[in-house]
Amino acid sequence: MKKLILPAEAKVCATCSYWDGERQVDTELRLVVVADDCAGECLVRGKDSHGLSDVRHQSSEDCAWEHLAPDALTADPSAGDPPAAG
């Protein structure tokens, strides 16, 4: 299997929050992983888009790139909250 790793500066559809295609996030390496022939829908423009489309020329209203850092841990629940089911 061949792999192409693009720098974060190379904005592609697969890294945009508005891209609705098949992808995975490698949490250890903090990379978005897509197949080279993968396509999905751009939810802003409402049309199909290849996952590796270069979209650096798009306006900031058209694209919102995801941060791959894990979400911050939530604080302890307050005393009035019911315990989590488990």
Side-chain angles (χ1 to χ4, degrees), residues 15-73:
T15 59
C16 179
S17 296
Y18 302 132
W19 186 73
D20 189 30
E22 287 290 324
R23 62 182 168 187
Q24 298 174 344
V25 175
D26 183 318
T27 54
E28 183 178 335
L29 298 175
R30 295 175 54 193
L31 297 172
V32 175
V33 180
V34 295
D36 62 350
D37 60 348
C38 190
E41 182 182 0
C42 171
L43 301 178
V44 174
R45 294 183 301 257
K47 65 177 188 174
D48 287 340
S49 179
H50 189 271
L52 295 177
S53 297
D54 182 356
V55 290
R56 289 176 287 185
H57 60 279
Q58 296 291 333
S59 71
S60 60
E61 291 84 32
D62 289 345
C63 299
W65 288 278
E66 297 184 29
H67 296 284
L68 298 179
D71 294 335
L73 295 175

